[in-house]
Amino acid sequence: PVIVHLLDLPPKATEAFLIGFLRRDYGAAGLYSMAKGGMLSHLQVVVSLVTMTLFMPCLANLLVIIKEQGAKVAIGRSLFILPFAVLVGAAVNFVSVVVLMFTGILLARGLGEEGRGKYAAVVVWFGAALVLGELGQSAAVTYFVARSRSSATAVVRNSRRIMVATSFTMVVAGFLGSSFLAGGERELTFAYLVAFSGVGVNAVLAPYLYALQALSLFQWNLVRLSQPILNLVAVIVWYLA
C-alpha cells in the first residue's frame, strides 16, 4: 500500500526496494530495468530514486552501525529514516502531480481545444528530435561516469561533441520542416522553431545532467524536480501575458 498509494509506483517496485535494503546498487538496478522496460514514467523514476536515495542503509551498513554505535542507535535511525524517505518521496510525487495538473489547466484554458492539439504535436516532434539528437548518450554518460568519477570531465566533453553534431542535424531538419509541420501557420511555425532550438540547447547542457546522475543522485533529483516547476512558471507568465 505504501509503494502503490503513497508513492504512486507499480507493485513490482516493492521488489526493488526490498532488494535495495540488501544491497543498494541492486535495488537501483531493478528500478533502472523497470524504467527501461517502460514500467515507470519520468515522474515515477524521480520519485523512486528520491525515496531510494533517502531509504534505510543497506544491510551491510546497518550491521556496521550496530557494531560501532549499538543496536539502539541503529534501530532509532532506521525508525526515523524509513518514514522520512517515504514521506519525502510522497511529497515529491504530490507536488509534481499538482504542478503538472495546473500546467495542463492553464494550457487548456489558454490554448483551447484546437490549440492544445497543436501544442501536443509540437511537444511530440520536439521529443522525437531530442531522442534522435541524444543518440543514447544519457545512459552512456551516466554509466561511464559512475564507473570512473575521475573521467567525468572527459566523458562529458566527448558526449557533448557527439550530441552537438547529431543535434545540429536535427535542428537544421526541424528548421527546414517547421513551416510544413505547421501547415503554413505563422505562429505555429514560430513555436516549432523555438522547440527545435531547444534541441541544440539540450545538446550543450544535457551531458552535465547525465553525469550529475552518477555523481550525486540528490542534486540530480533536485534538478529534475525543478523542471516541471519552471515549466509551470513559464506557462503562468505566458498565460498572464
Side-chain angles (χ1 to χ4, degrees), residues 23-43:
R23 186 162 177 176
R24 185 67 60 86
D25 51 349
Y26 286 178
L31 293 174
Y32 174 77
S33 178
M34 291 178 64
K36 192 174 182 180
M39 299 177 65
L40 296 175
S41 65
H42 292 301
L43 175 57

Side-chain angles (χ1 to χ4, degrees), residues 9-52:
L9 298 175
K12 189 175 177 59
T14 306
E15 300 177 10
F17 282 98
L18 291 175
I19 295 174
F21 174 67
L22 298 177
R23 186 162 177 176
R24 185 67 60 86
D25 51 349
Y26 286 178
L31 293 174
Y32 174 77
S33 178
M34 291 178 64
K36 192 174 182 180
M39 299 177 65
L40 296 175
S41 65
H42 292 301
L43 175 57
Q44 288 176 322
V45 170
V46 173
V47 171
S48 60
L49 288 178
V50 167
T51 308
M52 179 73 74

Side-chain angles (χ1 to χ4, degrees), residues 90-101:
V92 170
N93 179 62
F94 176 77
V95 171
S96 299
V97 169
V98 171
V99 168
L100 292 174
M101 180 183 69

